[in-house]
Amino acid sequence: MPRNLIDITDLSVAEIDELIATAEDIIAHPAKYQDACAHKQLATLFFEPSTRTRLSFESAMLALGGSTLGFSEASSSSTAKGETVGDTIHTVSCYADIIAMRHPKEGAPFAAAQYSEVPIINAGDGGHNHPTQTLTDLLTIHREKGQLDDFTIGFCGDLKFGRTVHSLVTALSRQTGIRFVFISPEELKMPDHIKENVLAKRGLAYEETASLEDAMPALDVLYMTRVQKERFFNEADYIRLKDTYVLDPEKLVPAKSDLCILHPLPRVNEITVAVDKDPRACYWKQVKNGKFIRMALIMKLLDIRV
Ligand code: NCD
């Protein structure tokens, strides 16, 4: 059976620590890894739009000396002719050594894995999970804070449909001393399945508030998110909620001087461009880190060591 990454808990805490250590080593000694995946092929199957995730996967595989193939929209694949995900994956697993897949349906990568002889990586499934963004987030927090324990993190925006948030809360629930603050409008609150199956199950407390201003002073990490337009059933609700939180330099005045501001990107209006100059803005570093942690992940799933 190939090793897949469908849910962040498919990796143990110790394995995530190892991936972070490998990514740090890649950052320090990139040349050491330049032929690690020579003659290996990564397929990127994106049934939903993407910039960073797909290109960071491709850039990661190229930096490891491998090559890439794939498609970036379902309309250019046989999906448009009615082919099932199972048959598409069965086909691609005949050509590639590893597959990164994004799909609008929750659970599609899990289903796909049943048809694949090569490792499947979930690159985002609907409003459900996004484990490789979580690895990126964890590497960034680790580099900025020096550890993954004992801090207060505020998740702000669309906590209902934001798949990156669901995976990161799940990963952090396995660390120690994390204080969770969920900042959202009533309609976009953290889903009950995360509160019950992830947090309550581990006896973890969390705070919920609609006010970013009230939450700000206590935060060590602020994870901003985009309101997920594509998951709304109703355009009017999206328009009403989309600009609920707009982080600007003024809102950062009461924040800690070593706050780490993250955003999986793309941003729409939730962080003004003026914040980019603030040394606490870490989201562009996060983009870079996404490539290095994916290099580490590809090597791990292909069982390649250097
Ligand atoms: C996120 C995603 O696709 O879920 N983007 C990403 O992968 N970096 C966040 C988003 O689209 O809002």
Side-chain angles (χ1 to χ4, degrees):
M1 269 293 277
R3 183 86 198 263
N4 304 311
L5 176 60
I6 306 297
D7 186 284
I8 192 65
T9 56
D10 292 340
L11 294 165
S12 68
V13 173
E15 284 176 316
I16 290 178
D17 290 346
E18 258 174 56
L19 287 174
I20 289 175
T22 305
E24 297 277 10
D25 195 57
I26 292 169
I27 293 167
H29 311 286
K32 216 170 111 182
Y33 295 87
Q34 65 192 8
D35 298 316
C37 288
H39 313 297
K40 297 284 183 195
Q41 301 190 349
L42 163 81
T44 53
L45 309 188
F46 279 61
F47 297 85
E48 246 194 3
S50 170
T51 298
R52 274 150 293 269
T53 304
R54 186 172 62 83
L55 294 180
S56 66
F57 264 115
E58 295 192 359
S59 167
M61 192 51 158
L62 296 174
L64 291 167
S67 53
T68 67
L69 64 162
F71 53 80
S72 55
E73 43 183 322
S75 61
S76 67
S77 74
S78 284
T79 304
K81 301 180 186 171
E83 185 170 60
T84 62
V85 168
D87 282 358
T88 302
I89 294 294
H90 194 157
T91 303
V92 176
S93 77
C94 298
Y95 306 141
D97 299 289
I98 183 164
I99 298 173
M101 166 187 178
R102 169 170 289 186
H103 200 282
K105 280 213 183 97
E106 282 85 3
F110 174 78
Q114 320 306 312
Y115 299 90
S116 177
E117 285 165 21
V118 304
I120 298 281
I121 302 172
N122 177 4
D125 62 325
H128 191 214
N129 282 323
H130 193 344
T132 65
Q133 181 63 44
T134 295
L135 294 174
T136 303
D137 303 338
L138 295 173
L139 173 61
T140 309
I141 295 171
H142 192 268
R143 285 176 70 75
E144 297 304 313
K145 297 277 169 207
Q147 56 170 3
L148 291 177
D149 299 310
D150 301 314
F151 57 81
T152 301
I153 180 165
F155 290 88
C156 179
D158 187 348
L159 310 187
K160 179 177 180 188
F161 297 116
R163 56 193 174 194
T164 66
V165 163
H166 305 156
S167 293
L168 183 54
V169 169
T170 305
L172 290 175
S173 73
R174 300 191 294 177
Q175 300 297 130
T176 55
I178 306 294
R179 293 166 298 277
F180 295 93
V181 185
F182 299 144
I183 308 152
S184 74
E186 188 61 32
E187 295 91 330
L188 299 177
K189 279 169 105 171
M190 186 65 75
D192 286 343
H193 70 90
I194 301 281
K195 292 185 196 162
E196 284 157 23
N197 302 340
V198 176
L199 297 168
K201 216 170 177 173
R202 291 181 181 270
L204 297 170
Y206 54 86
E207 272 175 52
E208 287 185 300
T209 173
S211 168
L212 176 58
E213 283 80 357
D214 288 354
M216 189 68 87
L219 302 180
D220 301 302
V221 179
L222 170 58
Y223 196 94
M224 293 297 294
T225 62
R226 169 180 75 91
V227 175
Q228 306 279 298
K229 182 180 183 189
E230 64 275 36
R231 317 263 178 244
F232 276 68
F233 299 109
N234 170 338
E235 172 106 21
D237 284 348
Y238 169 71
I239 290 169
R240 183 168 53 81
L241 293 167
K242 72 184 171 67
D243 292 328
T244 312
Y245 304 103
V246 178
L247 185 66
D248 58 22
E250 201 182 317
K251 296 214 179 72
L252 284 166
V253 172
K256 289 188 180 175
S257 60
D258 62 350
L259 174 69
C260 170
I261 306 166
L262 300 178
H263 190 310
L265 302 180
R267 71 173 146 189
V268 185
N269 285 328
E270 45 307 327
I271 303 182
T272 65
V273 175
V275 175
D276 295 7
K277 293 195 287 286
D278 191 303
R280 294 170 289 188
C282 296
Y283 33 91
W284 292 112
K285 294 187 202 170
Q286 204 179 348
V287 173
K288 274 197 182 171
N289 291 335
K291 170 179 173 178
F292 303 119
I293 200 77
R294 288 183 174 96
M295 288 172 75
L297 177 68
I298 291 168
M299 287 197 299
K300 178 166 182 71
L301 297 183
L302 290 178
D303 203 16
I304 289 172
R305 275 162 258 249
V306 296

